[in-house]
């Protein structure tokens, strides 16, 4: 009770419309008679039963998941079998990679390839080493990889590869220049003027280059060339220069005759032989070798047949002289 002996209502007691009590809304000038009682509201969603469409979709989803897994399994099994059986690789070889096929369909294939700078290599050889064909596309072509592949060819010193969209490729080649042939351990190789090995000789296109034989001959090929240049009349008859003990040269002629040059002034010694050949056709005789190592002299070795014939002739001559005495 308060001071006026009125019963106080507990603060935690809710309003009851049945008791005719209405809450007062202060400050808004509203008719409290029309204001409903403030009741606590519980948030509770109504459970709805799924309709026909939703039920059908759920059923399809459950069944579709199984079909999808089955289909994926079948495709995976087929792809695995194709890869293991080589069918996929064969298909790629004939048609190109799927990405390249798509790029070609979009107009980004290879319609023009320009190759410049090559002298000894053919365009076909360059494209084969580069791994480029009409099945490639410009979009997915790795220019750096093509450049590295080209540089693995010993005859190629360097290469530049440029992609010009939408469908053009440019390849610029810098070749090493073969200067001579060098034979070691029975194998003939192309070498540069500095003696650097370029490649193994694979065909006869370089057969006319100067030919040297022996250990260290590749580093002294310049000396051999100077001997040839000083004796142009003999050049066409010389097949190869053989470096002996890395000190001096022997010349092998096309006829099979060996010319033994001195260590000092070999070009001058060969010039003396050129004069003998001009005067007496020495190299046309049945001889095996000519030794020019002694200054001012040419020691000729006859072939076995020629030596036997010469011995018999000398014997007959001696018998003839004995019979007249």
């Amino acid at each position: 009770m308060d001071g006026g002996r009125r019963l106080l209502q507990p603060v935690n007691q809710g309003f009851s419309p049945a008791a005719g009590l209405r809450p007062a809304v202060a400050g808004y000038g509203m008719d409290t008679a029309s204001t409903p009682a403030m009741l606590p509201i519980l948030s509770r969603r109504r459970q709805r039963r799924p309709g026909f469409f939703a039920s059908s979709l759920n059923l399809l989803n459950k069944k579709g998941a199984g079909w999808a897994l089955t289909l994926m399994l079948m495709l995976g099994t087929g792809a695995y079998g194709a890869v293991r059986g080589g069918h996929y690789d064969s298909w790629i070889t004939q048609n190109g990679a799927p990405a390249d096929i798509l790029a070609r369909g979009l107009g980004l294939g290879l319609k023009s390839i320009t190759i410049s700078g090559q002298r000894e290599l053919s365009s076909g050889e360059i494209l084969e080493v580069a791994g480029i064909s009409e099945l490639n596309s410009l979009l997915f072509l790795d220019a750096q990889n093509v450049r590295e592949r080209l540089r693995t060819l010993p005859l190629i010193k360097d290469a530049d590869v440029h992609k010009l969209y939408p469908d053009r490729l440019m390849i610029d080649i810098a070749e090493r220049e073969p200067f001579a042939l060098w034979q070691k351990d029975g194998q003939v190789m192309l070498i540069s003027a500095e003696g650097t090995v370029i490649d193994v000789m694979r065909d006869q296109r370089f057969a006319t280059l100067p030919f040297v034989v022996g250990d260290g001959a590749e580093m002294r090929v310049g000396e051999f060339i100077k001997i040839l240049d000083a004796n142009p009349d003999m050049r066409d008859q010389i097949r190869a220069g053989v470096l002996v003990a890395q000190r001096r040269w022997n010349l092998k002629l096309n006829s099979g005759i060996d010319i033994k040059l001195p260590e000092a002034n070999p070009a001058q010694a060969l010039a003396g032989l050129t004069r003998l050949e001009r005067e007496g056709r020495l190299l046309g005789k049945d001889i095996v070798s000519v030794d020019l190592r002694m200054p001012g002299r040419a020691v000729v070795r006859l072939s076995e047949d020629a030596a036997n014939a010469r011995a018999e002739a000398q014997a007959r001559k001696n018998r003839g002289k004995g019979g007249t005495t």
Side-chain angles (χ1 to χ4, degrees):
M1 296 182 179
D2 60 3
R5 300 187 65 84
R6 288 174 293 187
L7 181 64
L8 294 176
Q9 184 178 359
V11 294
N12 57 353
Q13 181 178 348
F15 297 103
S16 175
L21 299 177
R22 294 181 176 83
V25 181
Y28 285 88
M30 297 177 63
D31 183 3
T32 57
S34 63
T35 304
M38 302 296 291
L39 298 176
I41 300 175
L42 298 178
S43 176
R44 184 177 182 183
R45 294 188 177 182
R46 181 180 178 184
Q47 298 295 330
R48 296 183 179 179
R49 297 182 60 186
F52 174 79
F53 177 77
S55 300
S56 301
L57 184 60
N58 289 335
L59 181 61
L60 289 176
N61 285 339
K62 292 179 181 179
K63 292 185 177 181
W67 282 108
L69 290 175
T70 303
L71 181 59
M72 290 176 62
L73 180 61
M74 294 176 61
L75 291 175
T77 303
Y80 177 76
V83 172
R84 287 296 300 270
H87 302 295
Y88 179 74
D89 292 338
S90 177
W91 187 86
I92 290 295
T93 301
Q94 296 178 3
N95 301 279
D100 287 327
I101 296 174
L102 177 61
R104 295 201 308 266
L106 296 175
L108 297 172
L110 282 177
K111 294 184 179 179
S112 175
I113 302 176
T114 302
I115 302 176
S116 61
Q118 82 274 26
R119 295 186 299 273
E120 303 297 340
L121 291 170
S122 66
S123 297
E125 289 173 321
I126 293 173
L127 293 178
E128 182 178 0
V129 173
I132 297 175
S133 71
E134 67 278 2
L135 299 180
N136 291 107
S137 68
L138 191 66
L139 180 61
F140 294 105
L141 185 70
D142 189 338
Q144 182 61 27
N145 179 263
V146 171
R147 180 173 181 265
E148 291 174 357
R149 295 185 62 170
L150 289 173
R151 293 183 68 183
T152 62
L153 196 64
L155 195 57
I156 294 180
K157 183 178 181 180
D158 201 359
D160 289 324
V161 181
H162 301 283
K163 298 165 62 173
L164 302 178
Y165 286 98
D167 52 19
R168 185 180 177 189
L169 183 69
M170 295 186 65
I171 301 176
D172 186 25
I173 300 296
E175 290 185 358
R176 292 186 175 95
E177 184 175 356
F179 183 73
L181 302 175
W182 173 46
Q183 179 176 318
K184 182 182 179 183
D185 300 330
Q187 190 173 45
V188 180
M189 292 163 283
L190 295 168
I191 60 174
S192 66
E194 298 79 20
T196 303
V197 175
I198 297 175
D199 195 6
V200 175
M201 184 176 176
R202 305 181 187 278
D203 50 52
Q204 295 300 311
R205 73 177 103 175
F206 303 108
T208 59
L209 292 176
F211 188 19
V212 294
V213 182
D215 290 339
E218 80 282 11
M219 304 305 298
R220 298 176 61 177
V221 65
E223 297 178 13
F224 176 66
I225 299 297
K226 288 181 179 179
I227 295 173
L228 299 182
D229 290 342
N231 296 274
D233 293 341
M234 290 288 297
R235 185 172 189 140
D236 291 340
Q237 299 186 53
I238 298 174
R239 184 172 65 187
V242 181
L243 187 62
V244 180
Q246 299 192 25
R247 295 188 299 106
R248 64 175 191 83
W249 293 94
N250 281 355
L251 304 179
K252 177 71 74 173
L253 303 187
N254 295 324
S255 61
I257 298 175
D258 289 327
I259 309 298
K260 299 180 179 181
L261 298 178
E263 186 174 352
N265 300 320
Q268 183 178 350
L270 185 59
L273 178 61
T274 302
R275 290 192 296 270
L276 292 176
E277 172 66 12
R278 190 181 300 118
E279 295 169 0
R281 307 296 298 175
L282 175 65
L283 299 178
K285 302 183 183 301
D286 193 4
I287 62 177
V288 174
S289 64
V290 180
D291 193 341
L292 302 175
R293 288 178 291 178
M294 297 182 65
R297 295 184 59 182
V299 179
V300 178
R301 179 186 173 188
L302 299 174
S303 67
E304 185 176 353
D305 292 340
N308 292 335
R310 186 174 185 275
E312 291 177 2
Q314 187 65 35
R316 287 194 303 267
K317 183 179 180 181
N318 291 338
R319 286 196 300 268
K321 288 183 179 180
T324 59
T325 57

